[in-house]
Amino acid sequence: MKRSRTAPHSTRKTKLIWPVLILVPILLTLAWGQHLSAEVYTLLSLARNMAAGAGLTPGSVGHFPAPVVQGPLFAFLVSIAVRFGLEPAWAALILSAAGWSVAAFALLATGQSLQRPRGGMVAALLLCFNPAIITTLGGPVAWLIALGWLTVALLLRRHLIASAVTFLLSAALLIPWPPGSSWPSVSYYGSAIAWSILLFAAGVGADWLAEQLVSRDLVRLSFSQMETSLLVTVFLLIGSWQGIRLWQLTQGRPEILWQLEAEVASWLHTEMGPAETLLANERIGHLARRPTASLPDLHQLETATGTLELLQAHPIDYLVTTNDLPWQQLRESVWFRLAYEPLKQFNSPYLPQAPITAWAYRMPVDELGQRHAINARVPDRLWLLGYQIGPEQVRAGESVQMALTMQAPQATVQSHTTFKAIVRLLSQVDNSTIEEWRIDLPQSISPENWQAGEVIVEQFPLAMPEDLEAGVYLLNLSLLGPESENLWPISLDNDFNQLDRVPTGYIIVPWEEDPENIEAIEAGFGAAIQLVGFAASEKVADGVLDVTLQWQTQHAMEEDYVVFVHLVDSSGQLVANHDGIPGNGRFPTRAWQPGVTIPDTHSISLPPDLPAGEYKLKVGLYAPDTGQRLAATAADGTAPEDKSILLKEISRP
């Protein structure tokens, strides 16, 4: 019995499944959601950067290898959707869902080209809920399958030019970025492609087998009956397995892990600066929207060593670790414990990867700047030999690192205990406490292992308040033992008088806004102070003259000086003035640091009976205890006798 050729009738039937081939992939994609592979999140970061006009990035971060993007052409298409306001992950999912539907139609078209439309229909139906494709959503794999089968269908219909175009497009989807990167391994796309071939072979093969059985009179059924029986059997067997597998994949989605990583990414996005770098997995990096380094492509047992070597050479600002073996090995290294501080843990009792920990790089002790030696002793407990602070210039909300060099006293047992370092941030205006930190010490060694006479260095961060105003602040240190709430008495420089706190340096919060109409000036005072800019009105009409000064120093000073701003008449007589600590007391000269510009404002109240005329505005500094002025040097090298610098001449209308 020969097969009945009813292609037109079959074609009409296949049109009835078109809505299924369109809707099922879309619905499954929406149900699957943003549970995407690491390769897809790298692709999404590239798409977002392309949409923002950043070009073909991300590139390498530091000396870490650049992430390889499989499918930059697909990323470009996603970036177009992102430009119109779509979120990158959903844009990629919608695009790949469309490719999934096109792949199903391509199988249907290939079956029709072979005169086996019903076999192609079954293969297309099976493909539209194939579990191998759903795990690749968000990437170019679905379109790779679609273009591959379209190429076959067009070749069978002898559309050579069109088939060449689709083949080149499918090849373009495989080209990796950056140039020179290795092409994707078969494991990246091979499973989904293999399944599409298997499903097509099952559908078309069942159709062909029905024809062979009927044509050789091996069965007593008509071709239509035999074909239907075999195709339904194939569909039920493979479809049942696919349905079970889809259910298993849905149940196995890392919902809790994804939510925890999203929390980590949200926290990092808030905590990190836009230019700070991150070492994390691709999902966290994409969601945090920060430059993200990729782990070296090494064997698992070598990953910790390779990562450690790269971090030592080129530290990353922030990194995120899990409870996996490579991260455990990395955290146990001495260098890592000294170089990175844990900021926040994100935990879940249901995840073996938890806790997920966010770490921040802290400046090494040898980079903190000058070590300040002190001789502070807590009898029979410890000696405080010195401290370091860095950076000494910080903005509100940022952190500074403090390092304390301590020595255990000789032959004592009392030092073998934990204690607290209490660090206070003090205002220079009214000596009030702005912030206080309590740090458990020692951290780098167990108390019972701290041998008599052994010197250790403890380093810890001090996070500045978010609302900290510009100015100079003093840090002081107290020590508190576990036995009571009484501070340990500290003897400074072998003094018999015991203190409950010792000063440990200054930090500067710089002025963020540059004053308007600043005029450059070159004037020197004493051996270190320089006046580099000023601003003042040329006319006085409202009873107040506002003067803004900008200071710098060549090296740190040991004394606080007072700035005077004088308005003198044509005969040199003082008519109005304002004297004060720079910055209205916020920037005492003792805390100035080289390279930091110090803002200083003075408001001079003028006498109401000040006659009209020309006046001179002068500036200088003096020691508050003696009133002695610092020697002044003008820009031309001259030294005025009155030890003041003429800023400008102003008029009183």
Side-chain angles (χ1 to χ4, degrees):
M1 180 181 293
K2 298 292 184 183
R3 175 183 174 179
S4 171
R5 299 289 181 180
T6 57
H9 179 66
S10 298
T11 301
R12 286 194 298 272
K13 284 186 176 180
T14 58
K15 289 182 178 180
L16 297 177
I17 70 165
W18 285 9
V20 177
L21 302 185
I22 294 173
L23 292 176
V24 170
I26 294 176
L27 293 175
L28 285 175
T29 299
L30 294 176
W32 183 256
Q34 298 184 28
H35 299 276
L36 311 177
S37 66
E39 293 85 1
V40 170
Y41 278 102
T42 302
L43 182 147
L44 295 182
S45 295
L46 174 63
R48 187 178 58 217
N49 291 339
M50 294 171 69
L56 288 170
T57 56
S60 60
V61 174
H63 280 62
F64 279 73
V68 177
V69 179
Q70 310 291 2
L73 177 60
F74 187 85
F76 171 72
L77 297 175
V78 173
S79 71
I80 295 176
V82 173
R83 290 177 187 270
F84 286 95
L86 270 178
E87 198 273 330
W90 282 116
L93 283 170
I94 293 171
L95 188 59
S96 59
W100 195 357
S101 291
V102 173
F105 277 102
L107 280 187
L108 183 62
T110 304
Q112 291 174 340
S113 299
L114 292 172
Q115 297 298 312
R116 301 199 182 275
R118 298 184 71 186
M121 178 180 67
V122 169
L125 286 172
L126 290 171
L127 186 71
C128 74
F129 65 98
N130 180 251
I133 293 182
I134 202 169
T135 58
T136 68
L137 287 175
V141 174
W143 278 103
L144 183 64
I145 296 171
L147 292 170
W149 283 106
L150 281 176
T151 300
V152 174
L154 292 169
L155 280 174
L156 291 172
R157 298 183 183 187
R158 302 183 185 279
H159 299 310
L160 300 182
I161 296 178
S163 65
V165 172
T166 55
F167 174 78
L168 291 175
L169 285 175
S170 63
L173 286 175
L174 290 174
I175 298 174
W177 185 265
S181 303
S182 59
W183 284 59
S185 61
V186 174
S187 62
Y188 174 66
Y189 56 84
S191 177
I193 292 177
W195 266 104
S196 72
I197 297 173
L198 176 62
L199 296 179
F200 183 79
V204 173
D207 197 337
W208 174 85
L209 181 60
E211 182 179 26
Q212 295 301 310
L213 292 174
V214 172
S215 64
R216 298 181 183 185
D217 294 327
L218 297 177
V219 294
R220 296 182 177 275
L221 300 175
S222 67
F223 170 73
S224 178
Q225 292 173 327
M226 191 70 238
E227 182 187 41
T228 301
S229 299
L230 287 178
L231 290 176
V232 168
T233 301
V234 167
F235 183 83
L236 290 177
L237 288 175
I238 299 179
S240 298
W241 180 88
Q242 289 194 166
I244 294 172
R245 183 61 183 149
L246 277 177
W247 182 84
Q248 291 175 336
L249 288 173
T250 302
Q251 297 304 306
R253 288 184 306 184
E255 296 273 3
I256 300 176
L257 176 61
W258 192 88
Q259 292 174 3
L260 201 62
E261 290 181 339
E263 291 179 20
V264 176
S266 176
W267 182 85
L268 287 169
H269 181 73
T270 303
E271 185 73 15
M272 293 178 61
E276 291 181 306
T277 54
L278 172 67
L279 176 61
N281 69 35
E282 288 79 1
R283 179 184 292 111
I284 292 176
H286 169 74
L287 295 176
R289 299 190 178 189
R290 293 294 181 263
T292 307
S294 297
L295 288 175
D297 187 14
L298 300 170
H299 187 274
Q300 186 183 42
L301 295 178
E302 300 175 350
T303 299
T305 302
T307 305
L308 182 61
E309 291 175 353
L310 285 170
L311 285 174
Q312 287 175 324
H314 306 280
I316 297 294
D317 297 320
Y318 290 81
L319 56 84
V320 178
T321 67
T322 59
N323 203 31
D324 299 327
L325 178 60
W327 286 122
Q328 290 177 2
Q329 293 175 327
L330 183 67
R331 293 196 302 267
E332 290 173 359
S333 68
V334 175
W335 180 88
F336 183 85
R337 293 201 305 269
L338 293 175
Y340 282 88
E341 58 176 299
L343 296 182
K344 190 174 180 63
Q345 277 195 346
F346 301 82
N347 213 338
S348 171
Y350 307 105
L351 290 175
Q353 301 94 328
I356 299 176
T357 308
W359 304 74
Y361 178 71
R362 57 187 178 189
M363 193 177 299
V365 173
D366 57 2
E367 296 180 13
L368 285 181
Q370 180 183 358
R371 179 178 178 274
H372 302 275
I374 56 176
N375 182 19
R377 303 189 181 197
V378 179
D380 298 328
R381 295 186 184 274
L382 62 85
W383 296 343
L384 183 60
L385 305 179
Y387 67 89
Q388 291 168 272
I389 299 174
E392 294 175 323
Q393 180 178 345
V394 66
R395 291 182 174 83
E398 296 181 344
S399 293
V400 300
Q401 296 289 329
M402 174 176 277
L404 300 178
T405 303
M406 298 178 293
Q407 182 178 8
Q410 297 289 337
T412 177
V413 178
Q414 292 176 314
S415 63
H416 296 170
T417 182
T418 58
F419 59 95
K420 292 183 184 294
I422 303 176
V423 183
R424 301 176 188 85
L425 183 71
L426 304 180
S427 168
Q428 291 293 280
V429 177
D430 56 9
N431 206 37
S432 62
T433 300
I434 305 297
E435 188 70 54
E436 179 179 295
W437 301 270
R438 297 193 173 206
I439 301 95
D440 291 321
L441 296 177
Q443 297 177 347
S444 62
I445 191 172
S446 299
E448 61 271 14
N449 294 330
W450 192 8
Q451 301 298 316
E454 181 180 2
V455 176
I456 64 173
V457 178
E458 295 290 351
Q459 183 178 344
F460 44 85
L462 305 174
M464 297 296 111
E466 294 286 348
D467 57 351
L468 193 61
E469 297 181 1
V472 172
Y473 296 87
L474 173 68
L475 293 171
N476 70 26
L477 172 71
S478 298
L479 299 172
L480 176 67
E483 65 276 3
S484 72
E485 285 298 314
N486 295 325
L487 298 174
W488 281 351
I490 301 174
S491 297
L492 189 61
D493 295 327
N494 297 317
D495 192 340
F496 289 106
N497 296 317
Q498 293 182 328
L499 309 172
D500 63 359
R501 63 197 64 191
V502 293
T504 50
Y506 297 93
I507 62 167
I508 296 178
V509 179
W511 201 270
E512 295 291 344
E513 299 180 1
D514 291 331
E516 297 180 356
N517 305 319
I518 286 291
E519 298 181 38
I521 188 174
E522 295 181 7
F525 297 89
I529 297 176
Q530 294 175 317
L531 180 64
V532 296
F534 77 95
S537 58
E538 295 183 359
K539 294 183 179 181
V540 179
D542 298 327
V544 176
L545 175 61
D546 290 324
V547 180
T548 299
L549 307 172
Q550 288 186 330
W551 302 97
Q552 289 184 357
T553 183
Q554 295 178 347
H555 55 75
M557 292 169 284
E558 297 182 356
E559 188 170 355
D560 288 331
Y561 295 102
V562 177
V563 175
F564 67 84
V565 182
H566 288 179
L567 188 67
V568 299
D569 60 19
S570 57
S571 64
Q573 295 298 313
L574 178 67
V575 296
N577 71 290
H578 184 275
D579 296 13
I581 300 295
N584 293 320
R586 293 186 177 277
F587 291 94
T589 58
R590 183 183 302 200
W592 291 6
Q593 297 298 326
V596 179
T597 299
I598 304 298
D600 182 21
T601 57
H602 297 264
S603 295
I604 303 176
S605 298
L606 304 178
D609 57 350
L610 183 68
E614 299 297 323
Y615 296 88
K616 295 180 179 180
L617 187 64
K618 293 187 173 185
V619 64
L621 297 100
Y622 62 87
D625 295 337
T626 64
Q628 184 176 356
R629 294 184 179 185
L630 292 181
T633 305
D636 58 4
T638 60
E641 292 184 5
D642 63 355
K643 298 181 180 180
S644 67
I645 296 296
L646 174 64
L647 295 180
K648 67 189 315 180
E649 294 184 355
I650 60 177
S651 60
R652 169 77 166 178

